[in-house]
Amino acid sequence: MKQIILKSNNDWTGLILRLSIALVLLPHGVQKMLGLFGGYGFTGTMGFFTETMQLPWLIGFMVILIEFVTPFLLVVGLLSRIWALAVTMLMLGIIFTSHLDNGFFMNWYGSQKGEGIEYHLLMIGLSIALLFNGSGRYSLDNKLATV
């Protein structure tokens, strides 16, 4: 089990995937957890998830946790496959609960009723690639796999 989760190619691909996902996901997590970048913070976001969207408290908490914690763990390459799977599940959930009706494209010109799914599909693609490739170069996973 340890080898399945931690073993990785010691290549640049995993590093690039990890950093790309972390860079894009972190601002969303910071919005939800800390209220920066125009976000509502933990309390406001939880209120939206549980009251407006009618999501269970645990699901709302997991969304915030995954979006906020995952980028930090991906930067250091710790349990990257598990976090890549979590991001994949998160993005699928977001697509089916919020964005599927808005079509494919992002709402660049404000002409749609909401955002499309292209961002989420890109995150799913990056996460699946990380899931198969592993953490790559400069990761704690590589170090732990050899212990």
Side-chain angles (χ1 to χ4, degrees), residues 89-103:
M89 296 296 108
L90 173 70
M91 292 298 149
L92 286 170
I94 292 169
I95 285 172
F96 289 110
T97 60
S98 303
H99 295 277
L100 194 58
D101 292 340
N102 300 327

Side-chain angles (χ1 to χ4, degrees), residues 67-119:
E67 286 191 19
F68 184 71
V69 172
T70 298
F72 297 106
L73 296 173
L74 288 179
V75 166
V76 297
L78 181 61
L79 303 175
S80 296
R81 282 191 168 102
I82 291 172
W83 294 109
L85 183 61
V87 170
T88 300
M89 296 296 108
L90 173 70
M91 292 298 149
L92 286 170
I94 292 169
I95 285 172
F96 289 110
T97 60
S98 303
H99 295 277
L100 194 58
D101 292 340
N102 300 327
F104 178 77
F105 295 103
M106 298 294 292
N107 193 10
W108 294 109
Y109 305 109
S111 58
Q112 300 171 190
K113 64 179 181 174
E115 300 292 342
I117 63 171
E118 66 180 321
Y119 160 77

Side-chain angles (χ1 to χ4, degrees), residues 48-65:
F48 175 76
F49 285 157
T50 57
E51 295 165 21
T52 304
M53 293 188 69
Q54 299 295 308
L55 293 174
W57 186 89
L58 183 60
I59 298 295
F61 179 76
M62 291 303 294
V63 167
I64 296 170
L65 183 73

